[in-house]
Amino acid sequence: MSNHATVAAGSATTTPGHPKHSDRLPLPALLALATAVFVTSLTETLPAGVLPGMSADLGVGEAAAGQSVTVYALGTALTAVPLAARTADWRRKRLLLASVAGFAAANTVTAVSSSYALTMGARFLAGVAAGVAWALLAGYARRLAPPHLQGRAVAVAMTGIPLALSLGVPAGTFLGAAVGWRAAFTAMTVIAAGLLAWIALAVPDLPGEGRGGRAPVLRTLKVPGVLPVLAVTFALVLAHTVLYTYVAAYLGHLGLGGSTGLVLLVFGVASLAGIWITGRYIDRRLRALTLAGTLLVAVGAAALAVPAGSTALVLVAAGLWGLGWGGAPTLLQTAVADAGGDAADTAQTMLVSLWNAAMAAGGLAGGLLLGALGAGALPWSVLLLLVPVVAVVAGARAHGFSAHRTSS
């Protein structure tokens, strides 16, 4: 899960083998975790910025190349829940190192592969590594911090997501345009290799959290409010991914293919603003922020649908889209945790899987739309998918998206 997937379950309590805490955050360790989040998010979203070159080099159409996002998301969606259960008793540092090594291997293969099938296999492996990472990173950050700073510790670790959107994807896009898309994936391998050393030196080891103790999936789905949040997650992520994966193709359709990097930069910077606003007001305005974010994404998509070919209009649309999207992971994670109650860990793990299932579906649906109806259909599909999102959020005011919440 990208920008999208700050939704990892983790214990907030002290466990045997927990490191001794001071009153300060262990910043070197937390920044290493933030870099792991950055690698996870950027590996997921990088194809959106280099899709034309990637498709040309692999000898396939852009819709087929866009499936590199689909198979990545499938890797996460299919493995996040079972891997979280099977590795619950692994030591955390060992598991984190294994995940980052998986990214290094997958990005290396992607950078050198001339085979479409091999590239897709590497992307699936990267998705599996992401499933492992999202299942442990938030919990790891919490357990490294003293109890009164655990929320802040998670916030520090999760800065990797907006940094990947605001800096990583535009930088990868510019690098891909200047040197070639393979250089962007090679750079990801170099970052992952350096991160392995950083983790080994700076991140304390912690024991696993033990198997069992989680609420069953079917019982969790029956908790009031959980299902509406999961439904909103699927539709909102699907809408976003349909357009984001093929944004380079859509900009080419508008005659603005050379502006892809700039558009993604504006989107990413606006996402940072969206995250800041969400963090400031989420405890009092979760429902209002979710509705506002959805409507901003819709307005951005509507502006993109106007066939004006104006760079200024496209940049404004990207800014509105990013502003609305930026807080979505935090809002949905908070909503499902609030709704889940005692079953919050299971609900959040389900959200990880569903988020990535929606990304996989978005990559596939966007590719089909691109092939059947052309790039012009992409923003209109976003508007169509956001209608049920608004309806469900508006209707789930008692459970799922409460007008007010109590900060935990």
Side-chain angles (χ1 to χ4, degrees):
M1 169 180 180
S2 78
N3 45 71
H4 332 344
T6 60
V7 287
S11 172
T13 59
T14 301
T15 61
H18 201 291
K20 293 181 180 179
H21 292 308
S22 69
D23 286 333
R24 297 181 179 180
L25 288 175
L27 282 178
L30 290 174
L31 292 175
L33 297 188
T35 306
V37 171
F38 176 87
V39 168
T40 303
S41 300
L42 185 52
T43 299
E44 178 180 42
T45 55
L46 185 56
V50 298
L51 203 59
M54 194 175 182
S55 65
D57 219 13
L58 293 175
V60 297
E62 290 186 352
Q67 302 317 303
S68 60
V69 174
T70 302
V71 297
Y72 179 105
L74 279 175
T76 303
L78 295 175
T79 62
V81 172
L83 282 178
R86 287 187 171 273
T87 60
D89 55 353
W90 282 34
R91 297 195 70 83
R92 300 294 90 180
K93 189 169 183 175
R94 173 190 173 195
L95 192 56
L96 180 58
L97 288 168
S99 173
V100 175
F103 282 116
N107 284 322
T108 298
V109 173
T110 303
V112 302
S113 171
S114 58
S115 163
Y116 177 73
L118 180 60
T119 300
M120 294 300 105
R123 292 291 295 172
F124 185 86
L125 172 62
V128 174
V132 173
W134 288 127
L136 76 96
L137 282 165
Y140 208 157
R142 290 174 70 91
R143 293 173 68 194
L144 289 174
H148 67 288
L149 293 176
Q150 286 177 342
R152 191 175 299 175
V154 174
V156 171
M158 293 304 162
T159 55
I161 293 176
L163 288 175
L165 288 173
S166 62
L167 299 178
V169 175
T173 302
F174 286 123
L175 183 62
V179 186
W181 68 273
R182 296 182 186 278
F185 282 97
T186 300
M188 293 300 300
T189 297
V190 173
I191 294 171
L195 179 58
L196 287 170
W198 188 356
I199 292 168
L201 292 172
V203 179
D205 195 11
L206 294 175
E209 297 175 314
R211 299 189 185 188
R214 287 175 174 249
V217 169
L218 290 179
R219 193 179 85 197
T220 302
L221 286 173
K222 295 178 182 178
V223 176
V226 169
L227 198 56
V229 177
L230 294 179
V232 165
T233 298
F234 186 83
L236 185 58
V237 176
L238 178 63
H240 165 78
T241 308
V242 162
L243 184 56
Y244 190 87
T245 303
Y246 299 98
V247 67
Y250 185 72
L251 292 174
H253 163 74
L254 295 179
L256 300 172
S259 300
T260 301
L262 179 59
V263 170
L264 291 175
L265 177 62
V266 170
F267 172 88
V269 171
S271 294
L272 281 173
I275 291 169
W276 181 84
I277 293 169
T278 297
R280 186 173 178 87
Y281 296 108
I282 188 170
D283 289 333
R284 302 188 301 275
R285 296 287 184 265
L286 184 145
R287 181 169 175 271
L289 287 170
T290 307
L291 284 170
T294 303
L295 292 173
L296 282 170
V297 174
V299 172
L304 284 173
V306 177
S310 164
T311 302
L313 178 61
V314 168
L315 292 176
V316 169
L320 293 172
W321 177 14
L323 187 63
W325 175 255
T330 302
L331 289 165
L332 295 170
Q333 177 188 14
T334 303
V336 84
D338 287 352
D342 292 340
D345 283 355
T346 299
Q348 288 182 331
T349 305
M350 291 165 63
L351 198 149
V352 171
S353 294
L354 194 63
W355 185 291
N356 285 278
M359 288 192 63
L364 180 60
L368 292 173
L369 282 170
L370 191 63
L373 301 176
L378 296 175
W380 293 107
S381 68
V382 173
L383 291 170
L384 184 63
L385 288 165
L386 292 181
V387 171
V389 172
V390 173
V392 173
V393 174
R397 94 183 271 129
H399 300 287
F401 296 96
S402 300
H404 301 280
R405 64 178 294 268
T406 301
S407 181
S408 56

